[in-house]
Amino acid sequence: MKTVIKGYPHLLHGGDYNPEQWLDCPEVLEEDVRLMKEAHVNCVSLGIFSWAKLEPAEGEYHFGWLRKIIDRLYENGIYTILATPSGAMPHWLAEQYDEVRQVGPDGLRNLPGRRHNFCPTSPLMRRKVKKIDRELSRRLGDHPGVILWHISNEYGNNRLGGACHCELCQEAFREWLQKKYGTLDALNHAWWTTFWSHTYTSWDQIHSPVPHGEIGIHGLNLDWKRFVSDQMQDFCLSEIKAVRKYSDKPVTINMMEFFRPFDYYKFAKQLDIISWDSYPQWYAGTDDRETAMRTAACHTLMRSLKKAPFLMMESTPSIVNWKDVNTQKRPGLHELASLQAVACGSDSVQYFQWRKSRGGEEKFHGAVIDHRNGSNTRVFREVAALGERLEQISDAVYPTCNKPRAAILFDWENWWAVEDIQGPRKNMAYLDTVISHFKPFWELGIEVDFINEEDPMEGYALVAAPMAYLYRKGYAEKVKKYVEEGGTYLTTFFSGVVDENDLCILDRHPLEDVLGIRTEEMDAVIPEVLPNTISFADNCWQVGQLREVSHVVEDAENPIEVLSSYEEDYYQGAPALTRKKYGKGCALYLACETEEGFLKVLYEKLAEDCRIRGEFTGRLPQGVAVSRRDGEKPVWFLQNFNRAAVQVELPFVCHVVPDGRTLEGNVTLRPYECLIVTN
Ligand code: GLA
Ligand code: ZN
């Protein structure tokens, strides 16, 4: 069993702590330690935005204050997650050296200020960051209180998503392309530049895609996105190397859910631990089911990046201050939302932030300690109660991890490519499509992982690959082998369309043999104008907007079953859902978008066929989710996201964690209750 941080208390409970804002108020710092203990906090993240305090002038270092705080926390049983400070630049740096500041697509260079907005290519920025990171590591990297490196902060979280269009970045991009393609001929072919006479005759003619320049070459757009992601990943690697010089503590970065600009699967390879910042929009509607499901998908992605427990590095104990409407978590929701993270594989509940800042952009962002009332607040009491509960369940939960037998393909490169096309409809909605395939698993209580095209498929009984449009080298062969060896693979309309350069794959679908399908036309309609239906599992289902017209390819040895066909339009009778046995496994093809509910019925059947039903599958009322973490003993988390009590029928005799109380038959879950049980 992979464990998150060897030898440190689990589960972690704490959060971002910014004592640098209070250095002239020693009584506040004293009070913090006392209140942290009262709140059952066992770790904090320090130094995230401390550069100006650590290095107030170039080359002048002040680490004493930080050491003192780490010491005092450690003496009180509180561990430190130590951040490198590159998230925000001090003025002396940004003012003195233009090149460290990011340039927008309009060619304008940022003025100093704000954060997450440096140029990742700038050699000067890299040198300065390396210097401060090394100093930090040399002085504090082996402190026994420091358990983890928090490299920078939310890389790329600004209006430009980490992309910088300065001359240094343009040059680095050209070099990246030269390394990839070798010759301009190869690049011109891959980018199909003969179209509109845009053949490049010199590397210098290549610029980043910008609205007032070239944005129509999909190969260029895709490579630029790869470059932007790679460049920040490389910047991150340079920070990791800097702290590693004097410290062997594990490293993480705090990620941001399905963050489009960066391929987190690639980042994950250079990290020891995955962590992320979770800020769901609760109370977005009359119920919280959709929010809960989407949040579960985010947690699942984070666990999937390493197929291991992760950390929820930030969450708010009450409100955020950057959404259109910032609603307080009603009593009980904080505990449920936090335990949802744990249920999905997090080994921590951490907050932004411990103490509210007195001024600045985030002075009204939720925190454990408010401007007034000390520990005498509802939020503090809920945090403390949760901290206590985390301590109580820690032994049962640690070390365990969810072990799905089903996977959904979610691939960043595919995302970039799908969302760039000018094709059947304006917004191809790749992420929403993927989430719509995740939702049934969540509703059915079946554990699922996300994988990308490079991940192994062995070990999964079922792999779903919705809208797998771009096939990287070797992907089709991998699927073929997976199915031959007994896997069940489901894919959909708009799959196998382009190769890794976004060039259309000619002649036939790369998986034509496996799927038994020849695709011909792609239709996008306004369903009210051109309604269509399919029948499946004794029900008639409305067909959605995207519809592929395809034909069965007869195969005498492996006949194809048409499970459902279009019932209207000129393609009436054409297959909408097919299954073909292939080798020891089988492949399914879904030709169209469908109304809500269809996928749940389909996946419930497939789960039955693949023998991957969960213990609670088919028994969960709406808005109740279950997650299972496996270890010596499995642990189930039954989560009621309804604002009302519901009854759940237990499939076996359950023992409540931690007190061992026995439950059987029907149990009532209070609003927002999370019941944790073993068998
Ligand atoms: C992000 C940042 C934090 C803070 C929070 C506010 O997650 O990492 O510094 O700004 O948002 O929600
Ligand atoms: Zn740049």
Side-chain angles (χ1 to χ4, degrees):
M1 175 66 56
K2 287 180 198 159
T3 55
V4 164
I5 305 170
K6 272 205 193 82
Y8 293 100
H10 287 83
L11 307 157
L12 297 179
H13 183 227
D16 282 21
Y17 181 36
N18 303 107
E20 67 274 11
Q21 294 174 22
W22 303 93
L23 289 182
D24 52 357
C25 308
E27 68 289 354
V28 170
L29 303 181
E30 279 304 319
E31 193 193 29
D32 280 336
V33 174
R34 183 173 63 73
L35 293 179
M36 280 177 194
K37 289 163 84 173
E38 214 177 301
H40 301 264
V41 159
N42 57 26
C43 77
V44 294
S45 307
L46 277 171
I48 299 175
F49 298 113
S50 301
W51 198 343
K53 282 274 183 237
L54 295 172
E55 190 181 0
E58 189 167 1
E60 184 192 317
Y61 298 110
H62 293 255
F63 288 95
W65 65 270
L66 185 56
R67 173 181 291 279
K68 248 204 237 149
I69 289 169
I70 296 177
D71 283 344
R72 197 167 60 234
L73 290 166
Y74 183 54
E75 284 155 18
N76 284 278
I78 300 161
Y79 290 91
T80 293
I81 295 175
L82 188 55
T84 64
S86 57
M89 295 183 275
H91 272 299
W92 61 257
L93 173 65
E95 286 288 353
Q96 204 165 315
Y97 306 104
D98 280 357
E99 71 165 64
V100 301
R101 285 184 268 120
Q102 192 181 25
V103 171
D106 51 6
L108 266 185
R109 195 181 285 283
N110 287 336
L111 291 174
R114 308 213 73 207
R115 60 176 181 172
H116 309 147
N117 53 6
F118 55 82
C119 164
T121 303
S122 155
L124 206 134
M125 180 67 185
R126 287 189 177 216
R127 267 206 311 278
K128 295 292 164 204
V129 169
K130 184 168 154 189
K131 190 96 203 321
I132 183 77
D133 286 1
R134 275 196 184 179
E135 293 295 333
L136 189 64
S137 178
R138 188 160 71 81
R139 290 160 154 102
L140 294 163
D142 64 350
H143 192 293
V146 173
I147 55 173
L148 175 66
W149 284 105
H150 180 297
I151 304 293
S152 200
N153 191 65
E154 292 191 340
Y155 281 123
N157 185 14
N158 79 348
R159 69 192 167 92
L160 302 178
C164 175
H165 298 259
C166 77
E167 264 319 306
L168 293 167
C169 287
Q170 305 288 354
E171 213 27 66
F173 180 43
R174 289 173 200 130
E175 277 166 28
W176 185 96
L177 291 168
Q178 276 171 13
K179 217 158 125 198
K180 173 166 179 182
Y181 292 105
T183 64
L184 270 181
D185 279 351
L187 175 139
N188 278 313
H189 181 266
W191 290 3
W192 210 250
T193 51
T194 313
F195 178 78
W196 286 356
S197 217
H198 289 166
T199 309
Y200 291 97
T201 52
S202 144
W203 294 99
D204 298 337
Q205 294 162 352
I206 301 171
H207 297 278
S208 57
V210 293
H212 60 289
E214 180 63 86
I215 48 159
I217 299 180
H218 291 154
L220 162 68
N221 298 347
L222 187 57
D223 277 335
W224 171 250
K225 285 177 182 136
R226 288 176 175 134
F227 165 78
V228 168
S229 180
D230 281 5
Q231 198 68 352
M232 195 59 90
Q233 188 192 325
D234 189 59
F235 186 93
C236 169
L237 186 62
S238 68
E239 288 212 61
I240 294 173
K241 285 185 182 154
V243 300
R244 279 272 157 76
K245 172 116 174 116
Y246 300 104
S247 168
D248 60 359
K249 304 283 160 79
V251 298
T252 192
I253 59 171
N254 52 339
M255 298 179 169
M256 295 163 285
E257 50 175 85
F258 292 84
F259 184 62
R260 195 192 321 232
F262 298 156
D263 185 343
Y264 281 154
Y265 288 105
K266 286 180 87 180
F267 275 72
K269 295 205 173 101
Q270 64 195 31
L271 304 171
D272 299 306
I273 296 168
I274 299 302
S275 70
W276 83 289
D277 301 342
S278 174
Y279 294 103
Q281 175 95 53
W282 303 108
Y283 308 103
T286 47
D287 68 65
D288 290 307
R289 286 173 212 143
E290 195 67 18
T291 302
M293 182 277 295
R294 283 185 175 260
T295 309
C298 297
H299 289 309
T300 299
L301 175 69
M302 295 300 148
R303 190 193 65 237
S304 300
L305 293 177
K306 278 196 172 293
K307 314 288 179 289
F310 60 94
L311 301 176
M312 180 167 70
M313 188 61 86
E314 291 180 27
S315 63
T316 179
S318 51
I319 55 169
V320 295
N321 70 335
W322 45 265
K323 298 201 172 174
D324 288 347
V325 178
N326 300 300
T327 307
Q328 289 283 354
K329 287 172 164 169
R330 267 53 200 161
L333 181 61
H334 176 59
E335 177 164 316
L336 174 62
S338 302
L339 291 173
Q340 179 191 27
V342 178
C344 296
S346 174
D347 274 1
S348 80
V349 173
Q350 289 153 275
Y351 310 116
F352 181 86
Q353 52 186 333
W354 169 253
R355 181 180 284 277
K356 255 185 204 178
S357 41
R358 190 165 176 205
E361 282 189 36
E362 293 184 323
K363 62 177 175 293
F364 295 124
H365 192 290
V368 181
I369 305 295
D370 212 327
H371 296 136
R372 298 174 184 177
N373 303 315
S375 60
N376 187 18
T377 64
R378 175 184 72 88
V379 169
F380 184 91
R381 282 188 287 277
E382 288 199 37
V383 165
L386 172 67
E388 195 174 1
R389 185 158 183 208
L390 291 174
E391 281 171 6
Q392 291 164 351
I393 65 171
S394 200
D395 284 350
V397 173
Y398 183 79
T400 59
C401 191
N402 318 54
K403 289 274 145 69
R405 306 266 349 271
I408 298 172
L409 185 80
F410 169 73
D411 191 281
W412 253 272
E413 296 201 3
N414 187 55
W415 192 9
W416 296 332
V418 169
E419 305 244 316
D420 197 33
I421 63 159
Q422 283 159 285
R425 89 177 160 205
K426 192 143 205 164
N427 177 8
M428 290 301 283
Y430 173 60
L431 181 58
D432 284 345
T433 303
V434 168
I435 301 277
S436 74
H437 285 254
F438 173 85
K439 186 173 182 176
F441 288 93
W442 185 78
E443 290 180 337
L444 290 165
I446 299 172
E447 293 291 338
V448 66
D449 271 342
F450 288 112
I451 57 173
N452 77 353
E453 289 189 10
E454 288 180 352
D455 274 335
M457 291 182 172
E458 298 89 58
Y460 297 111
L462 170 65
V463 172
M467 230 189 242
Y469 161 81
L470 176 147
Y471 274 23
R472 297 202 228 166
K473 264 199 197 83
Y475 179 68
E477 292 69 38
K478 183 176 24 199
V479 174
K480 199 168 167 180
K481 187 159 169 279
Y482 167 72
V483 179
E484 265 168 4
E485 289 173 358
T488 295
Y489 180 80
L490 178 145
T491 195
T492 71
F493 55 92
F494 218 53
S495 66
V497 182
V498 298
D499 67 11
E500 67 279 1
N501 293 319
D502 213 352
L503 287 180
C504 293
I505 299 171
L506 303 178
D507 300 331
R508 59 207 290 262
H509 192 296
L511 288 174
E512 188 175 296
D513 294 351
V514 183
L515 297 168
I517 279 293
R518 179 170 65 79
T519 57
E520 186 177 334
E521 292 182 80
M522 188 74 214
D523 200 12
V525 304
I526 296 167
E528 295 75 40
V529 178
L530 291 168
N532 208 334
T533 52
I534 57 172
S535 296
F536 181 68
D538 303 326
N539 248 310
C540 176
W541 305 92
Q542 295 296 321
V543 173
Q545 197 159 56
L546 293 180
R547 306 160 180 191
E548 199 159 50
V549 183
S550 38
H551 311 272
V552 164
V553 179
E554 295 304 343
D555 176 343
E557 255 171 67
N558 304 304
I560 175 166
E561 289 167 85
V562 177
L563 304 178
S564 187
S565 333
Y566 292 109
E567 290 167 348
E568 309 286 337
D569 218 326
Y570 76 92
Y571 37 85
Q572 184 188 33
L577 178 67
T578 60
R579 177 170 53 200
K580 182 180 172 180
K581 286 220 168 69
Y582 189 86
K584 292 191 201 132
C586 73
L588 290 104
Y589 165 73
L590 174 62
C592 54
E593 286 183 329
T594 52
E595 69 175 291
E596 271 255 21
F598 168 81
L599 287 176
K600 187 171 175 190
V601 172
L602 174 60
Y603 280 119
E604 187 163 3
K605 283 200 175 306
L606 287 179
E608 186 81 54
D609 296 348
C610 299
R611 298 203 191 85
I612 54 166
R613 282 170 69 94
E615 295 77 6
F616 288 84
T617 303
R619 294 166 179 266
L620 296 168
Q622 275 206 333
V624 176
V626 69
S627 310
R628 171 179 162 155
R629 288 184 63 151
D630 279 304
E632 251 171 56
K633 227 174 190 274
V635 187
W636 288 266
F637 294 71
L638 271 165
Q639 308 141 57
N640 179 18
F641 289 97
N642 297 296
R643 298 170 198 167
V646 286
Q647 280 220 332
V648 179
E649 193 201 329
L650 300 175
F652 50 82
V653 178
C654 293
H655 302 281
V656 177
V657 175
D659 60 25
R661 203 160 29 95
T662 304
L663 292 177
E664 57 188 309
N666 284 330
V667 286
T668 302
L669 296 178
R670 292 187 313 275
Y672 297 147
E673 180 173 355
C674 178
L675 178 68
I676 306 174
V677 297
T678 57
N679 55 5

